[in-house]
Amino acid sequence: MSFIYPQASLIAGVDEVGRGPLVGAVVTAAVILDPAKPIVGLADSKKLSEKRRLALFDEIKEKALSWSLGRAEPEEIDQLNILHATMLAMQRAVAGLAIVPNFVLIDGNRCPALPMPAQAVVKGDSLVAEISAASIIAKVTRDKEMAELDLLFPQYGFAQHKGYPTALHMERLALHGATPHHRRSFAPVRNALLDAEVLAAAR
C-alpha cells in the first residue's frame, strides 16, 4: 500500500507517543524533512530496534528542515481526556516548527484544528516518511523521560514498561500507590488511589 502525497511543498508529519501509558506526558513531534537530504530506513518507531531509533533520531534532527516537540502533561490529560490532550500536544508541536508548513499529515484517523490544511493518515507512521520521522522523535524523547522517571522512582520499573499498564506496573502501582506523575483519570491509577484512601481510613 502506498500513500499519495498532497500537492504541497512544505509538508510536516505529526505523530504522538504515550496515549496508552498510565504515567507521564503524551509527547508529540512534528517534522518537515528536506527532500535534498533523504534519510534511509525511516519506519514506524515501534518496528525499529532501540539502537536504530537512536541513530535515526540524531539523523532526523540533523537533516530535517525543521522539527519540534509538543506535549500535554498528566494534569492536562486528566482535565481534558487523553484524546483532547493529544490533539492539544499535536497543535503545540506544529506551532513550534521554525518553518510554517503548508500542509500537515497526521498519524491516525483524526486531525486537530490547525491554521493550515491537514489530513489524517491511518497507519501513517508506516506509509509517510515525515510521520515515521515524527514517531521516532516522539518515541525516543518519551523513552528518555521514562528512563529519567525510573531514576526518581526506581520501584516502579518505568525504564522497562515505559509507563504502559503491564502486569509489573500494575503490581507496583498496587504496592506503592501513584506517583505525582501518574494520570489520575486512568482507571488503574484511580483505583490504586481509592485503595490507598480505603487503607488509610481503615488504619
Side-chain angles (χ1 to χ4, degrees):
M1 187 175 156
S2 67
F3 174 73
I4 312 291
Y5 273 83
Q7 289 298 311
S9 53
L10 285 169
I11 295 175
V14 176
D15 200 3
E16 55 68 33
V17 173
R19 281 173 76 155
L22 308 176
V23 72
V26 59
V27 176
T28 56
V31 178
I32 302 174
L33 293 174
D34 185 346
K37 296 178 185 168
I39 298 169
V40 179
L42 287 174
D44 171 8
S45 63
K46 295 183 284 295
K47 296 184 178 135
L48 298 165
S49 70
E50 189 176 7
K51 189 179 169 196
R52 189 79 196 96
R53 260 201 310 269
L54 290 168
L56 283 166
F57 176 78
D58 291 336
E59 193 178 348
I60 294 160
K61 291 203 301 186
E62 190 188 317
K63 290 183 175 175
L65 288 174
S66 185
W67 64 276
S68 165
L69 287 160
R71 56 195 296 119
E73 301 302 337
E75 306 81 59
E76 294 177 303
I77 294 167
D78 291 340
Q79 210 179 336
L80 298 169
N81 81 31
I82 186 62
L83 176 69
H84 288 102
T86 302
M87 294 293 135
L88 177 63
M90 285 180 167
Q91 288 168 330
R92 287 170 175 167
V94 173
L97 288 165
I99 299 171
V100 179
N102 49 29
F103 205 98
V104 178
L105 296 171
I106 298 204
D107 185 56
N109 56 7
R110 36 178 92 197
C111 291
L114 292 168
M116 68 286 291
Q119 180 186 339
V121 186
V122 174
K123 294 200 170 32
D125 45 13
S126 303
L127 298 170
V128 178
E130 287 82 355
I131 296 178
S132 303
S135 83
I136 291 163
I137 294 281
K139 178 149 179 58
V140 170
T141 301
R142 194 176 190 285
D143 284 357
K144 279 183 180 166
E145 291 181 10
M146 286 297 111
E148 285 160 16
L149 205 58
D150 190 63
L151 297 175
L152 292 173
F153 301 96
Q155 65 274 37
Y156 291 87
F158 291 135
Q160 282 166 270
H161 55 64
K162 312 289 192 274
Y164 284 89
T166 61
L168 172 73
H169 191 182
M170 302 302 275
E171 179 197 309
R172 299 297 162 82
L173 191 58
L175 199 59
H176 304 292
T179 69
H181 304 275
H182 274 91
R183 302 171 182 178
R184 277 142 175 71
S185 57
F186 281 41
V189 181
R190 204 167 54 229
N191 296 340
L193 289 164
L194 285 171
D195 291 347
E197 276 176 30
V198 170
L199 274 174
R203 277 191 186 128

